[in-house]
Amino acid sequence: MCDSRPPPADGDDIAACAPQSASAVASSVDGDAVAIDAVAPGEGSGITTLPSGEPEAWHGRHPRREFKARGSQVIRCEACRLPRLNCLCPYQVTAESRIKFWLITHPLEHYKPTNTGRLISDVLAGTEVFSWYRVEPDPRLLALLEDERYQPFIIFPDDQPDYADRVVDVNAIAGVGADVATHTASGEARIPVFILLDGTWRQARRIFRKSPYLDGLPVLPLHTQRLTRYHLRKPASEAHLCTAEVAAELLRQAGEENAASVLDDYFDAFNDCYRASRIHYVLEPTAPMRRLLARRDATTGES
């Protein structure tokens, strides 16, 4: 997902753009494209397609077969998924934050090693990741949305009038200037939750529009002058941030500077390690990496 500035115009329904040929390729814009075999309905494949456009065999779970594409033969670390040449694991550092993140992730994103949503889980304990299926919402997510301990905000642009009444600003996290509940019925402070739609712009728009259980949530757009530093996929605009960058900027605007700095450094380490591995270059520790190592050593010394 990119940041909350208006995305390039496109349709809400990705099924309308389904390929017509017997062999289809779904690819990201970088070298880590992913490919699937998709047979159009009625071609005698024996594969039934659901209304969401997903094969019936995928219903309620990830695809049964891993995607194969360029880069699939690279020897990767099983923990961080980066090429072992520049493993990210030595730089993983956790941070504390009163804010929680719930990621609603498009199924195809789980197989992209360039996905940055998982970096949030590495840094912030308590991050939840849910796979999105239009016809079968994750029951665990539905239960959490009903839990009064949490006050969820869905992160999405404020560029459409049909949900303008739900739009709030970052001050709503503290209960300022908006009708958002900040305490439970028993008087306990509710935990702010940022819900990120993890996928391409087209996928994020579809998740937002096709998930009725999100309709009542306040919409928190991200307004920032920050430009993307993400090198692994080519964005439509430098103003379109990747998922980890959005999370770091939201933390910073909410006053969680320490967590934002750790996530920023971890994202930069990921970005640089992956880019160096593409050209088979062994990377020396960069400034963000050295800061992460220093944080890790300080934490180890305190324990």
Side-chain angles (χ1 to χ4, degrees), residues 54-90:
E54 300 159 357
E56 189 172 28
W58 292 18
H59 188 40
R61 60 181 183 271
H62 298 325
R64 302 173 71 181
R65 183 175 59 178
E66 291 187 7
F67 297 120
K68 298 296 183 183
R70 192 175 80 181
S72 62
Q73 302 303 314
V74 173
I75 299 175
R76 299 180 181 274
C77 169
E78 293 184 2
C80 69
R81 304 185 198 173
L82 265 66
R84 290 183 184 172
L85 184 67
N86 290 292
C87 177
L88 187 64
C89 292

Side-chain angles (χ1 to χ4, degrees), residues 19-38:
Q20 299 301 313
S21 63
S23 179
V25 174
S27 63
S28 63
V29 295
D30 70 336
D32 295 291
V34 295
I36 60 173
D37 295 324

Side-chain angles (χ1 to χ4, degrees), residues 10-18 51-53 134 202 205-206 210:
D10 56 27
D12 285 333
D13 194 338
I14 59 174
C17 301
S52 62
R134 187 181 67 82
R202 184 183 296 272
R205 286 161 65 93
R206 179 171 169 80
K210 303 293 184 180

Side-chain angles (χ1 to χ4, degrees), residues 49 77 93 108 128 168 230 247 292 294:
T49 303
C77 169
V93 177
L108 293 181
E128 299 281 356
V168 299
Y230 190 41
L292 291 168

Side-chain angles (χ1 to χ4, degrees), residues 159-183:
D159 59 332
Q160 297 298 320
D162 60 315
Y163 56 88
D165 59 318
R166 297 164 52 196
V167 174
V168 299
D169 63 26
V170 72
N171 291 318
I173 300 170
V176 178
D179 186 19
V180 175
T182 57
H183 290 77

